[in-house]
Amino acid sequence: MTGTNSINIGDRDYPVLSGSVGPDVVDIRKLYANTGKFTYDPGFTSTASCESGLTYIDGDEGILLHRGYPIGQLAEHSSFMEVAYLLLNGELPDKAEFDKFNYTITRHTMLHEQLATFYRGFRRDAHPMAIMCGVVGALSAFYHDSTDITDPRQRMIASHRLIAKMPTIAAMAYKYSVGQPFLYPKNDLSYTGNFLRMTFGVPAEEYEIHPAVERALDRIFILHADHEQNASTSTVRLAGSSGANPFACIAAGIACLWGPAHGGANEAALNMLHEIGRPERIPEYIARAKDKNDPFRLMGFGHRVYKNYDPRATVMQKTVREVFDALKVSDPVFEVALQLEEMALKDDYFVEKKLFPNVDFYSGVILSAIGFPTTMFTALFALARTVGWVAQWNEMISDPDQKIGRPRQLYTGPTQRDYIPVEQR
Ligand code: ACO
């Protein structure tokens, strides 16, 4: 972070700081002390809440970089485990580093056996995200030896545990909901292959992993690994800023991700595509999305940061075709999705507001073709985003400038008044 310029507010100069790329920021940390005024920015549309070296997004150009590497290149050539290493450690691993990391993650995939009993406390029809919030939060009760956040080694062990155990936790949430026995992880499988087997395998027979499906899902995980200071990541950072243990922080992130405006959007997008059902009905839904008096929005469209095509949506669209070809399936909702995208992108409303498909527009179509029920979609997102949450949490804890997050407010409630006893009200 460098700063040579300044900006004048009131009668004082405030430093303007530059990152390596992207908009400069005005350092207003002394604004309140100097002026007695706060800034007002609900939704943080103009506020940088931290310094970070993990992920860069240029929403106007549709660029997404992890540690400098474009998402398209990572999705094409890398693996989710390698991207996890990159986000955690800052550089791509060499062969020995990668093998060691892979080995470590693989050896942490099992859950404490007592956790299986913990699952049985949930109703059978519980949403997997509800189970994941509970189980991930409960990890701090099972792994006390990695909750001292002042110890870098414990922080790293907690990070590895979270990344490694998330597929096991998500798969068990699914198994519980369908009434099938939990499957233990198998160490000769890849991270993603293991997750597929724990989700779709049964003890009665061998599970055969389809290489194209394994590759597609691994790519989906890469596309969801991190996305700078989005709502759930900011939640993880805010929870962590109080010194809360890492498992509690990630559980907070999962809770935030569940919302339909964030991680729940892929489930909502697929439900919408099914509801539309036939290309002839698309104009009706586009009209509803444009109608100010109708709360309906095109799910999987629009983004706080991207005012251009979400680069992850480009990879997703290609991956749908690959999965359909590999599994020799077709799904009319994909045709609806393609035509909806085409029509929306030609419509003045969407053009003027710069509303493009986001990562969630196509991901539901692929996940459903692989066999995941819609209730698992956000759980898969949480699994992948754990890497980003953990990397951002580590970055925050290691930042000497880190303070407890404590926004201020514009108070519009009553001014001071005297208490009136109930019989006089
Ligand atoms: N359909 C129709 N109109 C839309 C849509 C949409 N999907 N998205 C935004 N708009 C309109 C809004 O009505 C608003 O219009 P106005 O200026 O006339 O009031 C304008 O575009 C700006 O929208 P905001 O909601 O103010 O933009 P914001 O940045 O706050 O919201 C969000 C971004 C939440 C993603 C929004 O576009 C949305 O609700 N999209 C649908 C849900 C979705 O797909 N979420 C996934 C996000 S990606 C992720 O979390 C991985």
Side-chain angles (χ1 to χ4, degrees), residues 212-245:
V213 170
E214 184 180 10
R215 177 74 198 126
L217 190 59
D218 198 74
R219 194 182 288 158
I220 291 174
F221 289 163
I222 294 175
L223 297 180
H224 287 90
D226 191 47
H227 212 226
E228 52 117 301
Q229 308 312 320
N230 58 84
S232 57
T233 302
S234 299
T235 302
V236 170
R237 279 188 178 258
L238 196 56
S241 76
S242 73
N245 75 70

Side-chain angles (χ1 to χ4, degrees), residues 43 45 223-224 227 230-232 257 259-266 268-269 272 285-286 288-292 294-307 310 312 349-350 353-361 381 385:
T45 52
L223 297 180
H224 287 90
H227 212 226
N230 58 84
S232 57
L257 185 76
H262 192 8
N266 53 10
M272 176 194 76
Y285 281 81
I286 290 197
R288 281 187 61 195
K290 289 158 56 173
D291 181 355
K292 281 269 156 264
D294 189 330
F296 173 78
R297 284 185 170 198
L298 277 194
M299 298 314 286
F301 253 78
H303 198 276
R304 170 60 61 81
V305 180
Y306 292 116
K307 303 301 167 199
D310 181 339
R312 300 167 302 171
Y349 175 92
F350 292 89
K353 293 187 190 300
K354 299 188 175 161
L355 299 168
F356 292 85
N358 60 49
V359 66
D360 292 318
F361 191 63
F381 192 161
R385 184 56 57 84

Side-chain angles (χ1 to χ4, degrees), residues 63-66 69-76 222-223 311-312 315:
I63 291 171
L64 168 59
L65 311 175
H66 290 320
Y69 296 103
I71 190 67
Q73 290 184 23
L74 293 173
E76 188 74 28
I222 294 175
L223 297 180
R312 300 167 302 171
V315 182

Side-chain angles (χ1 to χ4, degrees), residues 137-157:
L139 291 178
S140 53
F142 289 84
Y143 301 101
H144 313 131
D145 58 340
S146 53
T147 52
D148 177 2
I149 65 159
T150 60
D151 177 353
R153 192 177 140 69
Q154 289 203 28
R155 290 206 300 268
M156 202 37 79
I157 294 173

Side-chain angles (χ1 to χ4, degrees), residues 45-62:
T45 52
S46 301
T47 298
S49 61
C50 62
E51 189 183 330
S52 179
L54 269 89
T55 293
Y56 173 72
I57 304 172
D58 183 333
D60 293 327
E61 296 298 323

Side-chain angles (χ1 to χ4, degrees), residues 7 17 25 184 198 207 242 306 386 405 416 419:
I7 202 166
L17 308 176
V25 301
Y184 291 112
M198 286 189 289
Y207 177 73
S242 73
Y306 292 116
T386 295
Q416 185 170 329
Y419 177 81

